[in-house]
Amino acid sequence: MQDIFDLIGRILLSFIFFFEAYDYFAFEQLNREAMTIYGMTWNQDFLLYGAILLLFFGGLMVLLGYRMRLGAILLLVYWVPLTFIVHDFWEEVPNTEAYRLQSLFFMKNLAIMGGLLLAATHVSGRYRLRRLFATTRVRG
């Protein structure tokens, strides 16, 4: 049962990163405008496509359970700065709708970071890519 929960947890955790990578790619111009609003004007192509690569490959590594520690670190390299740059609720006027929403998004991202830290220190269960290759026998 633990292996099934491990697989479901990796699927659920990685889904948000795949979705965000897709969103960055599909709405490239809107994301560039948002980057400009947040003051990220230096080499936007590098930042945008770098984020897409980190999100996709990090999410894939976590999903497959292959080099999961590296995948979680790649995702944290992206997720930590994003959280503090975009969801800066402390800059909003207290007790407003923007303050409430940004603080909720900030806390959600902290929870995701906690999940990534757990993934970085966790060995995936039976349903991981490396184990599937190690137990598959090819007949000649």
Side-chain angles (χ1 to χ4, degrees):
M1 191 60 126
Q2 181 179 350
D3 294 325
I4 295 291
F5 286 160
D6 172 72
L7 177 63
I8 292 169
R10 287 187 286 121
I11 290 169
L12 293 174
L13 184 61
S14 63
F15 184 74
I16 192 168
F17 303 114
F18 290 131
F19 184 78
E20 191 150 346
Y22 162 76
D23 182 77
Y24 278 1
F25 187 75
F27 302 100
E28 183 178 333
Q29 188 56 40
L30 290 174
N31 285 306
R32 287 180 194 279
E33 292 169 12
M35 290 169 73
T36 303
I37 290 169
Y38 288 109
M40 293 184 281
T41 56
W42 175 81
N43 207 348
Q44 285 186 341
D45 285 339
F46 173 74
L47 293 174
L48 184 64
Y49 295 121
I52 292 170
L53 288 174
L54 286 173
L55 288 165
F56 180 76
F57 286 111
L60 189 63
M61 290 172 152
V62 169
L63 174 66
L64 298 176
Y66 181 76
R67 305 246 186 232
M68 197 161 67
R69 177 173 291 143
L70 176 61
I73 290 170
L74 291 175
L75 292 168
L76 283 167
V77 164
Y78 164 78
W79 208 255
V80 171
L82 169 92
T83 299
F84 286 93
I85 292 170
V86 174
H87 303 300
D88 55 349
F89 68 94
W90 51 89
E91 296 289 330
E92 301 291 339
V93 177
N95 299 322
T96 61
E97 186 69 18
Y99 179 85
R100 187 181 74 78
L101 282 175
Q102 289 305 323
S103 62
L104 283 171
F105 291 143
F106 184 84
M107 295 302 163
K108 172 199 59 100
N109 281 11
L110 284 182
I112 291 170
M113 284 186 251
L116 288 172
L117 289 172
L118 285 172
T121 61
H122 178 72
V123 176
S124 359
R126 184 178 350 163
Y127 304 112
R128 66 180 190 265
L129 188 64
R130 180 178 279 174
R131 181 171 167 90
L132 291 174
F133 283 143
T135 59
T136 303
R137 297 177 188 224
V138 179
R139 295 182 185 209

